[in-house]
């Protein structure tokens, strides 16, 4: 019986496994990179911060159960804001937070539906001992679009 050399067969086998692995990895990476999924609001910045729905925020507004904090810049607040909201721009929040009791329910909002700035403000307030702080899901634009009370400059 004739002996066949093992090394060439082993080299071919390892080469085949490497090529197939490279094809598999490349195919999976291409599939993932071609179809990025947009994040939903809840998955965005500070996902550990619960959001308050528009309906629940409006109920709190009607009952006076919460203080609404507008964390947008002063010009945005001057142009329009939720009726009765206080203007605490995010950059000044640390100084302004002393004006609110830590036991008060605070509802923060910003312009964008991702609630990034309002969630950042909520995180700052919670880290400073405030008990209940929730950004509005969808932000100011959602509130305005729902037809809830806003105040605009003349």
């Amino acid at each position: 019986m004739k002996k066949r050399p093992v090394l060439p067969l082993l080299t071919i086998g390892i080469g085949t496994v490497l090529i197939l692995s490279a094809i598999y990895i490349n195919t999976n990476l291409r599939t993932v990179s071609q179809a990025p999924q947009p994040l939903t609001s809840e998955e965005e910045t500070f996902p550990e911060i619960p959001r308050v729905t528009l309906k629940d925020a409006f109920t709190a507004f009607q009952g006076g159960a919460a203080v609404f904090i507008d964390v947008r810049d002063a010009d945005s607040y001057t142009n329009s804001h939720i009726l009765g909201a206080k203007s605490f721009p995010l950059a000044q929040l640390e100084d302004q937070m002393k004006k609110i009791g830590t036991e008060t329910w605070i509802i923060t909002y910003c312009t964008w539906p991702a609630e990034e700035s309002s969630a950042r403000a909520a995180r700052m307030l919670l880290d400073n001992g405030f008990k209940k702080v929730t950004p509005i899901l969808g932000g100011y634009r959602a509130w305005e679009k729902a037809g809830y009370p806003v105040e605009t400059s003349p």
Side-chain angles (χ1 to χ4, degrees):
M1 189 146 114
K2 190 175 177 186
K3 287 187 173 183
R4 292 188 175 196
V6 176
L7 188 60
L9 291 175
L10 187 59
T11 303
I12 291 171
I14 291 173
T16 303
V17 168
L18 289 174
I19 289 171
L20 291 174
S21 296
I23 291 170
Y24 176 78
I25 290 170
N26 188 30
T27 303
N28 283 341
L29 288 177
R30 193 175 314 143
T31 302
V32 170
S33 65
Q34 285 177 349
Q37 298 296 317
L39 296 174
T40 63
S41 254
E42 291 292 329
E43 296 172 327
E44 302 237 347
T45 306
F46 303 100
E48 76 280 6
I49 305 289
R51 275 46 171 189
V52 62
T53 65
L54 277 174
K55 182 180 176 186
D56 291 342
F58 184 61
T59 300
F61 172 84
Q62 288 178 309
V67 173
F68 286 74
I69 303 293
D70 186 326
V71 299
R72 302 173 302 156
D73 62 75
D75 288 338
S76 296
Y77 177 84
T78 300
N79 288 334
S80 66
H81 56 271
I82 292 174
L83 187 64
K86 297 180 184 300
S87 176
F88 291 2
L90 189 59
Q92 300 165 8
L93 183 61
E94 198 166 337
D95 295 330
Q96 299 281 355
M97 71 175 69
K98 298 167 189 153
K99 297 177 182 178
I100 310 168
T102 57
E103 300 297 322
T104 305
W105 179 14
I106 299 170
I107 297 178
T108 59
Y109 69 90
C110 58
T111 302
W112 301 106
E115 308 98 35
E116 183 173 347
S117 296
S118 58
R120 186 177 312 281
R123 173 82 282 150
M124 286 174 63
L125 290 162
L126 289 166
D127 288 348
N128 280 279
F130 289 82
K131 306 294 183 221
K132 185 174 182 183
V133 186
T134 51
I136 295 177
L137 187 61
Y140 178 75
R141 289 185 180 172
W143 178 276
E144 187 177 42
K145 186 176 179 181
Y148 294 151
V150 297
E151 188 173 348
T152 56
S153 62

